[in-house]
Amino acid sequence: MLMLLVSLLSLDAHAAGYYTSDVGVRAFSRGGAYVAGPSDLLALWYNPAALTRLGDGLVTVDAAGVWQSVYFDRADYPGEGPLDASGQPTDLVNAPIENDAPAYVIPHMGAAWSFGLPNTVFAAGFYPPYAPDLAYPEDGPQRYSLIDTLIIQTFTGASVAHRFGDWVSVGGGASWNYLRVEQVLAVSVPASTTDPTGNEDPQFDVRFRMDGRDKGSLGWNAGLLVEPPSNRWAVGLMYQAPVKFTGVGVMEADFSDNYFRTDDTLGIIAADTVRDPQVSFDVSMPAILKMGALVRPIDTLEIELAAVWEGWSVIDQIVVTQVDMVVPVDETHPVVGALEMEDIEIKDDIILPAGYQDTWSVRLGGEWLIGERATVRAGGLWEQGAIPAASRGVSLLDGKKWGYGLGGTFQAHKRIAVDVGWFQSFVPETVIEDSSLEAITLDWQTGEIIPGRNIGDGTLSGSAMIFGGGINYAFGKNPDELRRLGHQ
């Protein structure tokens, strides 16, 4: 049960480690190459110094549907499956599984205004990173890793930027950050102490759920933009500080269909469900460094090369504290009396090595202004994975990946610009051997964790798809700036 808590905190993978891709329609349309070239409120996330481009006033609202395809064909175990009617083990043949969850819609919004101050822009916005919904079969071969998950992380903050002279802009901001992690998986409690794997017989499964959240961690970022009056090139730099979350959650265990609740001989568990009303966990989001350089060989064309480093090694271990779960046993049951069993209490803190690694990516993208009303965008990226191969699975897909983006903007009115975009990334098929992932398995007499079966070996692959749209409204004195690529 202790190890379950840590597994429940296994954040899904992204553009390294957690997120699915870079946020925002204009940015993912350029493959994430958006550090020197932000032209909307996404500058809050990519480079707050670029807010100085937004003129007198701008409102940006967009939303994107995020969907992740996951395919996992787990290794088979001949002669190691559940026992048949004669008491002989069957072959454990695992059918491939895929993510069944629908697309998850995530919004972004923000506003910027100069308040009449020359060369200074203030902005505030709501800009959660992208993470998909994941759902797998309740009785699937992946159930000991993950059945269902919901992850919500948001950034809400304010920034200010100022341009010094004609070349240099600096900006920075602070954010209030929210995290919620809700996950469900199965734990094995086999009846046989001589076969700790329990042959993965579903009657020995216990369904666990955890819902934990941190409602208020603080973060900050700072950016630099160098752009000469000619507007022929620009260089951008952004640093985002790590964010530490300390969450409080509820853990529940469902024994209603478990052997030790339903069996006539060993039905010793006295309750269908067991609940720990408060557990705590610590997890950190990494420091991020973004660098980009762009050129505009002609007024209507912009090309940017960017690189991003993310310090995922900050997740070296995950700590769960304030554990206080009591599993009641039936004191009148003969087995309980014979073994002098008492209610099982679990109170130890949990420390689990995670072993994430720092990662980096390269992005190339740009946009082309066509006539007076349309801009088209495209870009691509390659990224190193943050999770070692031995730790990857259906809840931790992240590995080396490549992706592309397409999109554009239509100038519907002198004050209104409409964005659309598409992004797709691919994690190539990988055959995993010697996985470090094990089923969470409990000794039914003591409640102690015992070695479980390898559950990560097999063939794993996936892709992420994002489609979104947005609208920009210029309410300042110079709405014609929307017709430009974003530079003045």
Side-chain angles (χ1 to χ4, degrees):
M1 276 185 246
L2 298 181
M3 295 290 287
L4 161 79
L5 287 170
V6 179
S7 295
L8 288 173
L9 295 173
S10 303
L11 301 179
D12 188 65
H14 141 41
Y18 169 51
Y19 317 120
T20 299
S21 80
D22 291 273
V23 307
V25 175
R26 291 193 181 185
F28 67 66
S29 297
R30 290 167 52 133
Y34 208 56
V35 183
S39 57
D40 61 1
L41 266 296
L42 290 175
L44 287 163
W45 176 268
Y46 288 93
N47 187 353
L51 290 168
T52 57
R53 290 182 172 144
L54 302 188
D56 296 324
L58 182 69
V59 174
T60 296
V61 177
D62 73 34
V66 183
W67 184 74
Q68 187 166 54
S69 168
V70 179
Y71 173 89
F72 180 54
D73 187 0
R74 191 179 160 204
D76 299 328
Y77 294 87
E80 298 184 36
L83 303 182
D84 60 20
S86 64
Q88 298 300 311
T90 61
D91 292 338
L92 184 61
V93 178
N94 295 308
I97 58 94
E98 298 183 75
N99 178 27
D100 295 328
Y104 187 38
V105 178
I106 299 177
H108 299 93
M109 60 194 73
W113 198 9
S114 68
F115 291 98
L117 298 176
N119 302 322
T120 301
V121 174
F122 300 87
F126 172 79
Y127 41 102
Y130 293 153
D133 195 3
L134 296 173
Y136 300 107
E138 290 254 357
D139 59 351
Q142 89 305 319
R143 65 188 184 276
Y144 300 113
S145 294
L146 185 66
I147 295 173
D148 198 3
T149 185
L150 173 66
I151 300 173
I152 300 173
Q153 183 188 348
T154 66
F155 288 72
T156 305
S159 298
V160 60
H162 181 78
R163 187 171 66 247
F164 295 90
D166 295 329
W167 283 64
V168 178
S169 296
V170 296
S175 62
W176 170 77
N177 308 295
Y178 170 90
L179 175 68
R180 179 183 177 186
V181 180
E182 181 180 9
Q183 294 193 329
V184 178
L185 54 76
V187 170
S188 180
V189 188
S192 172
T193 57
T194 59
D195 179 14
T197 69
N199 295 83
E200 299 192 22
D201 192 327
Q203 69 176 326
F204 300 135
D205 289 354
V206 179
R207 189 177 188 269
F208 272 80
R209 171 186 171 272
M210 179 177 172
D211 187 354
R213 62 196 73 189
D214 183 340
K215 298 181 180 180
S217 292
L218 300 178
W220 62 271
N221 66 3
L224 172 70
L225 180 69
V226 179
E227 186 171 28
S230 68
N231 296 317
R232 289 304 184 192
W233 59 270
V235 175
L237 180 68
M238 192 281 291
Y239 173 77
Q240 180 171 300
V243 178
K244 182 178 180 180
F245 290 100
T246 300
V248 177
V250 174
M251 184 175 68
E252 298 174 340
D254 183 355
F255 286 89
S256 59
D257 295 323
N258 182 261
Y259 178 84
F260 291 99
R261 177 63 175 157
T262 63
D263 185 71
D264 292 337
T265 302
L266 285 178
I268 63 172
I269 302 298
D272 284 343
T273 60
V274 180
R275 189 173 188 267
D276 185 342
Q278 180 170 306
V279 295
S280 297
F281 63 88
D282 292 330
V283 65
S284 294
M285 294 296 104
I288 299 175
L289 181 64
K290 299 180 180 182
M291 301 163 283
L294 65 80
V295 294
R296 301 184 184 104
I298 56 177
D299 289 343
T300 57
L301 178 64
E302 178 175 288
I303 302 170
E304 179 172 351
L305 177 65
V308 176
W309 171 88
E310 301 179 28
W312 285 101
S313 62
V314 68
I315 306 182
D316 181 57
Q317 63 182 20
I318 299 172
V319 181
V320 180
T321 60
Q322 298 185 27
V323 180
D324 188 10
M325 173 171 269
V326 178
V327 181
V329 296
D330 184 355
E331 295 179 356
T332 65
H333 197 285
V335 172
V336 173
L339 297 177
E340 298 182 350
M341 294 183 64
E342 297 181 352
D343 292 346
I344 301 170
E345 297 185 0
I346 303 171
K347 296 192 174 188
D348 293 339
D349 290 351
I350 307 159
I351 300 176
L352 181 72
Y356 282 24
Q357 60 192 18
D358 295 345
T359 189
W360 57 275
S361 63
V362 178
R363 301 101 181 276
L364 178 64
E367 52 192 65
W368 179 28
L369 183 65
I370 302 175
E372 293 293 320
R373 290 185 175 269
T375 300
V376 295
R377 297 183 180 87
L381 66 81
W382 180 91
E383 185 171 76
Q384 178 192 27
I387 303 171
S391 300
R392 293 174 59 201
V394 295
S395 65
L396 295 169
L397 177 65
D398 189 47
K400 293 181 180 179
K401 65 176 70 67
W402 63 274
Y404 70 93
L406 299 170
T409 296
F410 176 71
Q411 187 75 33
H413 182 271
K414 68 177 182 178
R415 292 186 179 272
I416 299 173
V418 179
D419 301 325
V420 294
W422 164 267
F423 178 85
Q424 189 171 16
S425 65
F426 302 89
V427 177
E429 181 176 284
T430 302
V431 177
I432 299 175
E433 299 176 333
D434 299 323
S435 172
S436 62
L437 303 181
E438 292 185 351
I440 303 167
T441 308
L442 302 179
D443 185 308
W444 69 272
Q445 297 183 54
T446 66
E448 295 179 352
I449 302 294
I450 57 179
R453 174 180 279 154
N454 178 315
I455 56 173
D457 283 0
T459 302
L460 179 68
S461 63
S463 64
M465 287 166 279
I466 305 172
F467 177 76
I471 187 167
N472 298 275
Y473 175 72
F475 60 86
K477 298 178 181 178
N478 300 309
D480 288 344
E481 288 179 0
L482 277 179
R483 296 165 58 186
R484 303 290 294 162
L485 287 169
H487 57 281
Q488 297 179 347

